[in-house]
Amino acid sequence: MTHSTITSTELNYLVFRYFQESGLTHSAFALGYEAGINKCAIDGNQVPPGALITLVQKGLQYIELEANLDNTDVDADDDFSFLQPLDLITKDVNELQQIIKAKKKEKVQKECDKDKNKDSLIAQDRDQQFEGERVRERQDRDAAQEKEKEMMEVDTEQEREKEKEEEREKQHVESKDKTKLDEHEVSRGPEQMDVTPSSQSLACEISRSEVTILEGHSSEVFACAWSPAGSLLASGSGDSTARIWKIPDGPCSKDVQVLPPNVHVLKHFKGRTNEKSKDVTTLDWNGEGTLLATGSYDGQARIWSPDGELRNTLVKHRGPIFSLKWNKKGDFLLSGSVDKTAIVWDTKTWECKQQFEYHSAPTLDVDWRNNYSFATCSTDTMIYVCKIGETHPVKAFSGHKAEVNAIKWDPTGSLLASCSDDGTAKIWSLKQDKCLHDFKDHSKEIYTIRWRPTGQGTNNPNQQLVLASASFDSTIKLWDAEQGRLLCSLNGHRQPVYSVAFSPNGEYLASGSLDQSLHIWSVKEGRILKTYKGRGGIFEVCWNREGDKIAACFANSSICVMDFRT
C-alpha cells in the first residue's frame, strides 16, 4: 500500500497561506522569502482557504481512526470521543489503543451495573406509576380549584381597571382646564436641557446605492492610490495584477460601472495567472501622475504609463518589495525590500543609483525627507536616515522594542514619526539621538501613521501639526506633535485599523478597519461624520486631490469609491 506524503515545500506553502489568511502579513512575507515560495510550482488557486487547518484536523482524525481500527476488541462499538486532540498529537498508536481499551472496559462495566439496576428500577417504576395516578388526580382537582380562583381574580381586576379609567378621565378634564388658564404664562416655564447625542449616533451612514463598486480583481486588494493629476485610481492585488481605473465625473452610485476601456489591467506575470510570487504589495504615482510604480512579491519594481503600458522593470532586489516612493522632484524612486536593503533608482536611466545595506532584517518602510535624503525602518527595530552619495547613515535612531512598521516625515521634513509592534509611536528630530516624544497610549501594535497636511509649503500652513496613529487595539489616536500630548482617541471601530488618511484640507480623517467599516471623522470635533459598511476588511483608504471622493480597497477583492461633501 502506498502512503500519501507531503513535501516540505508544500508544507511551507500551507503555512505561508495560513499566515496570509490570518492577517499576519509580515510573517507571511518573511517565510515566503526565506522558504523560496516564489520559486515553487504550486497552483495557488487550487489550494482552498484554511487548507492547513483542514490538513491538521484530517491528520488527527486519521490517527484516531487508525487507533480504533487496529484495536483487537472488535465486539465493542468504536467511540471516537475516547481520544482527546492532545492525546492524538503526543501519543503513538499503541498508547492510543491502550487508552481506548481501558475506557471501553470502563464503559462495559458501567453497562453491566446498569443491567443489574434495571430489574429493581422496573419494580420501582410500577410502584411509582400507581402513585403517579393518585398524584395526577390530586393535581387535576387542585388545577380546577385554581382556575376558579383565577376567574374570580380577573373579574375583580377588571372592576379595578374600570375605576382607574374613570379617575384618569376625570384628571384629564381637570388638566385641560388648568392648561387653558396657564397658556399666557408659558414663557416663564423651565428652560429646555441641551442634550447632545453621542458622536456615533450623529454619523450619517452612506448606503450602498451611493457607492461606486469597482470589480475585476480576483483576490484581496492591498493598496490603492489616486493619481495627483486627475480622476485615475490605481489598485494593487494578491491576484498578481494592478489596475488603473478612470473614475467618471459626477456623483458616485451603484449604477456607475467602470468597464474597459476605462480600466487597464497591469499584469505582473507571463502565462499563468496564479503566481502568488507576483502579488502587488505597494504602489505609488509620481508627482505629475505620468508614471505609476508598483512593487511586487517577486522583488521587482515595475513602471507603468497611465494607460497601462509597462515602461520598465527594475531588477536588483532579492526579496519582496514592501515599500516604494517617488521623491518630490520625480528624478529618483526609492524601494525597500525583505532582502534588508533600500535602493534608489535613477528615473532617467532606470539604473540602480545606490543600494543601502544597513539593516540586519527586512526593510518594512521607506520615506523621503527631501529630494536627496530619506529614512528606512525594519523588523530589526532600527531606523536609519540616509543620503544619496553617503556610504554610512546620516542618523541612526534606536528606541523601539519591536519591529518598526511605518515611518513618515512631517510635511516640512523636520520631524520623523515612527510606529511599532511595541505599541508606541515616536517622533524624532535630527537634532538629537533620543526621540522627541514617545506616545504610549495604545494597548496593541500600531500598524500605520499619517501626518496632517499642514505647515510651510502646504495648502494649510496655519493648522495645528497633528499625527494620527492606527492600531490593532481598534482605535485611532490624534497627537499634538509640538506639545507631545494626546489630543483625542477615536473609538468607532471594533477591530484592528489598517489605514488612515487625512483629507487634503486637513479637516477630516478617513479610517478603514478589519471590521469592514470606513469612517470619516471631524478632526476638530473628534466624532464620526459619515460611515460606510462594506463586505470585507479594509486594507487602505485614500482621498482624491480635490478631497471630494474617497476610495477604499477590501479583502473581498473589491474597491469602493464614494463622495464626500459637508
Side-chain angles (χ1 to χ4, degrees):
M1 178 179 172
T2 303
H3 294 278
S4 298
T5 59
I6 183 170
T7 66
S8 59
T9 299
E10 291 168 336
L11 183 58
N12 284 338
Y13 185 82
L14 292 179
V15 175
F16 164 76
R17 281 287 294 271
Y18 170 75
F19 281 157
Q20 277 195 326
E21 292 162 4
S22 302
L24 304 173
T25 311
H26 294 156
S27 300
F29 282 138
L31 173 63
Y33 171 62
E34 294 178 356
I37 298 295
N38 61 319
K39 299 176 183 176
C40 74
I42 297 174
D43 184 349
N45 290 338
Q46 300 297 320
V47 180
L52 179 62
I53 299 297
T54 302
L55 180 66
V56 172
Q57 288 174 337
K58 287 185 177 179
L60 295 178
Q61 291 168 355
Y62 176 81
I63 296 172
E64 193 168 27
L65 184 62
E66 185 181 21
N68 276 275
L69 291 177
D70 287 350
N71 196 323
T72 55
D73 187 9
V74 295
D75 294 330
D77 292 332
D78 289 335
D79 189 343
F80 296 114
S81 65
F82 287 154
L83 299 174
Q84 300 299 317
L86 190 59
D87 292 332
L88 296 172
I89 294 171
T90 58
K91 293 178 172 58
D92 60 29
V93 173
N94 291 330
E95 290 176 308
L96 294 174
Q97 290 173 355
Q98 294 302 318
I99 292 174
I100 292 174
K101 281 184 179 180
K103 294 200 173 181
K104 284 185 176 180
K105 186 176 181 181
E106 181 180 340
K107 182 179 179 182
V108 171
Q109 184 62 44
K110 286 181 180 178
E111 291 292 336
C112 291
D113 293 341
K114 219 182 272 184
D115 289 339
K116 289 179 182 178
N117 293 330
K118 193 172 182 181
D119 292 337
S120 60
L121 288 173
I122 291 173
Q124 289 177 11
D125 287 341
R126 202 164 39 238
D127 296 335
Q128 289 174 355
Q129 184 177 4
F130 176 73
E131 181 64 26
E133 289 174 356
R134 295 177 59 190
V135 169
R136 278 194 295 275
E137 289 176 359
R138 188 165 60 248
Q139 288 175 340
D140 291 341
R141 187 170 61 251
D142 292 343
Q145 293 175 352
E146 185 67 22
K147 186 173 182 180
E148 185 178 354
K149 182 180 177 181
E150 287 175 358
M151 292 293 291
M152 293 175 64
E153 288 177 351
V154 167
D155 292 339
T156 305
E157 185 65 24
Q158 287 177 345
E159 290 178 2
R160 286 202 199 99
E161 283 297 321
K162 188 176 181 181
E163 291 174 358
K164 287 181 181 178
E165 186 63 28
E166 290 174 353
E167 182 66 19
R168 279 195 294 270
E169 183 64 25
K170 182 180 177 182
Q171 290 176 352
H172 180 62
V173 172
E174 292 175 353
S175 175
K176 284 174 68 176
D177 293 340
K178 186 175 185 302
T179 301
K180 290 178 181 178
L181 291 171
D182 292 339
E183 277 178 348
H184 68 285
E185 296 178 356
V186 167
S187 60
R188 291 189 289 171
E191 295 182 3
Q192 291 291 322
M193 290 183 64
D194 184 16
V195 180
T196 303
S198 67
S199 62
Q200 192 77 16
S201 65
L202 289 172
C204 172
E205 186 158 353
I206 300 170
S207 69
R208 288 183 64 83
S209 63
E210 302 173 90
V211 174
T212 298
I213 299 178
L214 308 179
E215 296 178 320
H217 284 297
S218 59
S219 185
E220 57 269 81
V221 186
F222 295 121
C224 60
W226 289 93
S227 166
S231 58
L232 297 182
L233 177 69
S235 60
S237 168
D239 64 6
S240 303
T241 74
R243 293 173 191 244
I244 298 177
W245 315 77
K246 183 173 177 55
I247 307 302
D249 295 332
C252 295
S253 164
K254 68 174 183 178
D255 298 324
V256 175
Q257 291 184 320
V258 182
L259 302 171
N262 292 320
V263 57
H264 301 289
V265 180
L266 285 46
K267 296 181 179 180
H268 288 60
F269 54 85
K270 293 179 180 178
R272 292 184 303 163
T273 61
N274 54 18
E275 299 181 43
K276 293 297 289 181
S277 64
K278 304 296 177 67
D279 286 3
V280 180
T281 53
T282 182
L283 47 79
D284 192 41
W285 290 95
N286 68 351
E288 291 76 34
T290 56
L291 293 174
L292 175 71
T294 62
S296 173
Y297 196 84
D298 64 2
Q300 298 180 15
R302 293 171 173 83
I303 312 300
W304 310 82
S305 66
D307 59 4
E309 179 188 348
L310 179 62
R311 293 288 181 83
N312 283 284
T313 301
L314 312 181
V315 182
K316 191 171 179 64
H317 280 300
R318 291 171 284 106
I321 295 175
F322 274 3
S323 185
L324 205 55
K325 304 281 177 65
W326 297 84
N327 67 349
K328 188 174 182 180
K329 190 177 178 181
D331 56 344
F332 293 123
L333 178 67
L334 175 63
S335 58
S337 168
V338 171
D339 67 8
K340 310 174 188 177
T341 75
I343 294 178
V344 172
W345 305 88
D346 187 332
T347 63
K348 296 182 182 68
T349 62
W350 296 114
E351 298 292 330
C352 170
K353 174 75 173 178
Q354 188 174 347
Q355 186 166 21
F356 298 81
E357 305 181 55
Y358 303 145
H359 288 293
S360 60
T363 304
L364 297 183
D365 198 13
V366 295
D367 197 49
W368 289 98
R369 177 175 179 246
N370 51 41
N371 285 320
Y372 303 99
S373 179
F374 60 90
T376 65
C377 68
S378 164
T379 61
D380 65 8
T381 75
M382 291 296 296
I383 300 167
Y384 293 116
V385 180
C386 312
K387 188 175 182 180
I388 297 174
E390 299 288 337
T391 56
H392 295 89
V394 175
K395 199 78 174 178
F397 291 128
S398 63
H400 281 296
K401 295 180 173 60
E403 61 185 63
V404 185
N405 293 317
I407 47 174
K408 291 289 178 292
W409 290 98
D410 79 305
T412 65
S414 56
L415 298 175
L416 179 68
S418 61
C419 66
S420 167
D421 276 1
D422 63 14
T424 72
K426 302 181 193 295
I427 295 179
W428 311 83
S429 168
L430 289 175
K431 298 177 182 178
Q432 62 186 59
D433 293 332
K434 291 186 177 180
C435 64
L436 200 61
H437 301 300
D438 193 1
F439 301 132
K440 301 180 178 179
D441 288 43
H442 281 294
S443 60
K444 290 185 179 179
E445 302 95 322
I446 304 176
Y447 189 75
T448 192
I449 46 178
R450 286 291 186 276
W451 288 97
R452 190 183 197 182
T454 185
Q456 188 176 358
T458 70
N459 294 328
N460 321 297
N462 300 318
Q463 287 182 348
Q464 182 182 21
L465 184 59
V466 174
L467 178 72
S469 57
S471 169
F472 282 13
D473 66 10
S474 78
T475 73
I476 303 138
K477 299 194 187 297
L478 302 182
W479 311 91
D480 181 335
E482 294 170 342
Q483 300 295 322
R485 63 186 180 91
L486 177 66
L487 291 173
C488 65
S489 181
L490 310 179
N491 304 320
H493 288 292
R494 298 186 306 279
Q495 289 192 41
V497 184
Y498 266 79
S499 180
V500 288
F502 280 98
S503 61
N505 64 10
E507 295 180 9
Y508 309 103
L509 182 78
S511 62
S513 165
L514 289 188
D515 66 8
Q516 307 182 4
S517 295
L518 180 146
H519 294 325
I520 305 171
W521 308 78
S522 163
V523 174
K524 182 178 179 180
E525 301 174 36
R527 67 180 179 88
I528 300 173
L529 300 176
K530 293 191 175 184
T531 185
Y532 172 72
K533 182 75 171 179
R535 295 182 177 176
I538 299 174
F539 288 118
E540 189 162 23
V541 295
C542 58
W543 297 78
N544 67 346
R545 178 185 58 185
E546 294 77 18
D548 60 4
K549 289 187 189 294
I550 302 167
C553 54
F554 289 77
N556 72 341
S557 76
S558 70
I559 304 109
C560 293
V561 182
M562 61 206 76
D563 296 308
F564 178 74
R565 295 181 180 84
T566 54

